[in-house]
Amino acid sequence: MAPSKKKHATKQACVIPEGFAVLPLQFSPDSAARHSLYVKEHKVRAEKTSYRPLDRTLFVLNIPPYCSRSVIKDLFSQFGVVASVELRDVPGSFQESGPKLSKIFRPAAKQGFKVGYIVFESSSSVAAAKSHPHDEPLVVSTEQKPVKTGVQKWIQQYTKSIIHPDKLQQMVDSFMQDYDKRQEEEAERQRQEAEKQQEDEEGWVKVTRGHKGAKARPHSEAANQRTLQREARKKRRKELMNFYTWQHKNTQKEHIAELRRKFEEDKQRIALMRAQRKFKPY
């Protein structure tokens, strides 16, 4: 017997404005409540990175807090092989900030709904996820792969947070070794740049002929630091000269005031002598 048209219509995907497809989410098989995920193909042309290929990346909104990276990977593995899963608090470009830290040294992640970027091995997996029927929910917690919530989740997180001192010491030693190595590499790079760009006190750079086709070297960080130091020295000398100029002007003003005071005293003395008729200029 052929299936009815009404039943066939329920197998269609639900697409809302802005091109998002609705994927129903159900926490457990016997749960009556459902949650909705909104997915569409990631198409940000301005983002030129290999971590989110435009033809194999699925952009997901409204991911609940109980869905971790591993849970999201298991849910979307039914559409194809998942290469990577990235969860963020807000949409944004991919950014690598500093060295990769252990979970012990990373700050605690914020709890709340997140957005995700799921990268598949094949571009057909993105189309399969977008065309998933809206009446067939994705089940988060199953008997084979249960997801703990509430008190059980807190107990599990507390148990994982307890680390053996020896293992913690190994992580700290490994991190410090990597840090010392990066510091040595940075010091060596600065030393080489300082040797390449030897500047005199007037700021001239000795230029040597390089190989054919070599591009001009931009000012290094060490050269910029030396320039800033020279400017600071010039500024201090200028301030000192201004101080001496002010002191000289102040001395001149005091000298002129003293002369004026003596001139007034002499005028008073001459007036007194005239009054006493003892003034004989000739």
Side-chain angles (χ1 to χ4, degrees), residues 66-209:
Y66 51 80
C67 288
S68 61
R69 287 186 176 88
S70 59
V71 173
I72 293 297
K73 185 175 182 179
D74 293 338
L75 285 175
F76 285 86
S77 294
Q78 59 180 304
F79 305 115
V81 180
V82 177
S84 64
V85 176
E86 180 188 356
L87 298 182
R88 297 174 63 94
D89 296 327
V90 294
S93 60
F94 185 87
Q95 296 179 353
E96 288 185 337
S97 56
K100 186 177 181 181
L101 300 178
S102 173
K103 62 180 181 179
I104 302 173
F105 304 106
R106 289 197 299 264
K110 296 181 180 179
Q111 299 296 327
F113 288 84
K114 297 183 180 296
V115 298
Y117 297 89
I118 304 174
V119 181
F120 291 96
E121 294 289 345
S122 175
S123 58
S124 59
S125 302
V126 176
K130 292 171 58 179
S131 60
H132 183 74
H134 69 279
D135 58 345
E136 294 182 7
L138 306 178
V139 181
V140 176
S141 180
T142 60
E143 295 182 359
Q144 295 78 11
K145 295 182 179 180
V147 177
K148 296 182 179 180
T149 58
V151 177
Q152 295 181 353
K153 181 180 180 181
W154 296 342
I155 295 174
Q156 184 181 18
Q157 291 178 350
Y158 175 75
T159 304
K160 291 183 178 180
S161 64
I162 301 175
I163 302 176
H164 195 273
D166 295 339
K167 185 177 180 181
L168 180 61
Q169 186 64 42
Q170 292 178 0
M171 293 180 179
V172 173
D173 294 340
S174 176
F175 175 80
M176 293 306 300
Q177 289 176 1
D178 295 340
Y179 175 79
D180 294 338
K181 183 179 179 180
R182 292 194 302 271
Q183 290 295 108
E184 292 176 357
E185 292 176 353
E186 180 66 19
E188 180 65 20
R189 185 184 64 82
Q190 292 182 0
R191 186 186 64 80
Q192 292 178 359
E193 290 183 353
E195 291 179 354
K196 291 179 180 179
Q197 296 186 358
Q198 293 291 339
E199 296 184 2
D200 55 14
E201 292 297 330
E202 299 297 329
W204 294 95
V205 182
K206 182 180 180 181
V207 181
T208 58
R209 176 177 296 180

Side-chain angles (χ1 to χ4, degrees), residues 245-258:
T245 303
W246 172 83
Q247 188 179 23
H248 181 65
K249 290 182 179 180
N250 192 25
T251 305
Q252 288 180 343
K253 289 180 180 180
E254 292 178 355
H255 182 64
I256 293 173
E258 181 68 19

Side-chain angles (χ1 to χ4, degrees), residues 4 15 36 47 63 71 75 130 165 183 190 210 222 238 244 279:
S4 62
V15 181
S36 296
E47 183 179 336
I63 299 177
V71 173
L75 285 175
K130 292 171 58 179
Q183 290 295 108
Q190 292 182 0
K238 186 176 181 180
Y244 288 150
F279 179 70

Side-chain angles (χ1 to χ4, degrees), residues 22-40:
V22 180
L23 291 184
L25 192 68
Q26 193 172 340
F27 182 77
S28 60
D30 55 349
S31 177
R34 289 188 180 184
H35 183 76
S36 296
L37 300 178
Y38 306 100
V39 301
K40 74 174 182 177

